[in-house]
Amino acid sequence: MSGSGTTADDDPPLQTAVWRLRSRACWTDAAALLEPHAATDAAAALQRTSLLTEQCLYTGTGWTEAEDALRTAEALAQDNTERGAAACERGYLAYASTLLGARDRADEASVALSRAAALLAPGAPGRPLLDFRRGLIAQNIADAPQSARAAYRRAHAGATAQGDELLLSFTWRHLASLSLREGELAEARHGFAESLRIREELGYLVGTAPALISLADAETEPEAGRLRAEAGRLFRLLGGVPTWLAPRLEPPAPQTVEAN
C-alpha cells in the first residue's frame, strides 16, 4: 500500500473509509475495517500490514501487532508479486524499528528489500514504492546520499507513470531534503512545496505537519514561522502525531526566550 488511496467518487466504500481513517492517524480503526478480509485475502492482509507499520513509524508503538499482520501477509502470498510486496513491507517495518531506535534491524531491512527487488519485475506496480524505501535505507541508515537520490528519482518516475500522488509527495519531500542538505535552497523549496500541495489536496492530514516543517526549513522569516505555527496546530489536533515531530514544535524554554 503506497498510500495512493483517495476519496475519489469511484473508490470502493471500504477503501474510502480506510483512507479517511488513515489520513487522520486512526490506523488501528482502519486496520480493523480490513481485518475480516485480511485473514484470507493477500491484498487485504498486505494493506493492513502497511497501515500498522505506518502507525509504528508515526507513533513508535504497535510493533507486535504490525509483526503479526506481516506474518499473515507473508503466509497468504501466492506469487512473486505478492511475495515481493510482503518482503517490501518487512523491509520497511525493520527500517522503522531501526530508525526509531526500537531495535536495530538494519541488516534485516536491507536483506528484505533486496529480496523484494529480486521478486518484483521492473514494471510491477510495487516497484516505485520499493525504490523509495531503498532510498530511505541509503539516506537514513547507510548515509549514502547519492545512492538515495538515484533511488528516489527512480521512485519519482515510477510514481509519476502510475499516477501515485501520495508516493510523489514522499519522493518530492525526500529529494528536496537532499537538495537542502547540499545548500540548493530554491530546489529544496520547490520540492517541499510540491509535497505539501499534494498532501493538502489529498487530505493526508497526518502527513501535512511534517511537510509544513520541511518547507519552513527552506524558507525565511516570517514565512517560516507561519509554517511552523500551522504545523504545531495540526500536530496538536492529531494528539501529538507524528511523535518524532515534537522536538521541532516544542515552545522554547523561558531562558531561551529571554536570551532572544
Side-chain angles (χ1 to χ4, degrees):
M1 181 181 180
S2 65
S4 57
T6 66
T7 55
D9 291 340
D10 59 349
D11 278 350
L14 174 61
Q15 290 303 317
T16 297
V18 167
W19 167 252
R20 286 175 174 164
L21 288 167
R22 178 198 178 194
S23 65
R24 289 159 177 76
C26 300
W27 296 283
T28 301
D29 292 339
L33 292 181
L34 293 170
E35 192 166 4
H37 310 278
T40 56
D41 182 77
L46 189 69
Q47 186 178 11
R48 185 169 182 271
T49 299
S50 180
L51 288 166
L52 294 173
T53 298
E54 185 172 83
Q55 177 177 254
C56 292
L57 186 63
Y58 277 70
T59 70
T61 63
W63 302 102
T64 299
E65 293 82 356
E67 190 70 40
D68 289 345
L70 174 59
R71 281 195 289 268
T72 297
E74 290 172 331
L76 290 173
Q78 296 296 313
D79 56 31
N80 282 350
T81 297
E82 291 175 349
R83 292 186 190 99
C88 187
E89 290 303 322
R90 176 160 292 284
Y92 194 48
L93 182 59
Y95 162 78
S97 175
T98 304
L99 187 71
L100 297 185
R103 200 175 95 203
D104 187 350
R105 299 171 61 183
D107 289 344
E108 180 186 350
S110 296
V111 169
L113 294 185
S114 294
R115 171 173 163 75
L119 289 167
L120 292 174
R127 195 75 193 204
L129 181 61
L130 171 61
D131 286 331
F132 172 70
R133 290 174 173 176
R134 296 184 91 177
L136 292 175
I137 295 283
Q139 181 180 5
N140 297 319
I141 293 181
D143 192 24
Q146 294 308 313
S147 295
R149 186 186 297 273
Y152 291 149
R153 283 177 172 165
R154 290 194 302 272
H156 191 86
T160 300
Q162 294 181 11
D164 190 337
E165 288 292 312
L166 190 56
L167 182 54
L168 277 173
S169 83
F170 282 94
T171 55
W172 272 121
R173 181 166 173 253
H174 284 270
L175 283 167
S177 72
L178 294 175
S179 295
L180 184 64
R181 175 176 174 170
E182 295 170 2
E184 300 168 358
L185 282 180
E187 190 171 335
R189 193 175 297 119
H190 173 70
F192 288 140
E194 283 296 296
S195 176
L196 176 61
R197 175 187 64 77
I198 293 170
R199 292 181 180 196
E200 288 180 334
E201 289 178 355
L202 293 178
Y204 186 52
L205 194 62
V206 72
T208 301
L212 286 162
I213 288 294
S214 293
L215 181 56
D217 289 341
E219 289 285 2
T220 57
E221 297 296 347
E223 179 64 9
R226 185 192 70 78
L227 292 166
R228 291 191 181 97
E230 178 63 12
R233 185 188 71 80
L234 287 173
F235 178 77
R236 292 186 292 274
L237 178 67
L238 293 174
V241 176
T243 54
W244 39 261
L245 206 57
R248 302 290 308 276
L249 297 169
E250 290 174 353
Q255 59 267 32
T256 304
V257 173
E258 292 170 5
N260 289 335

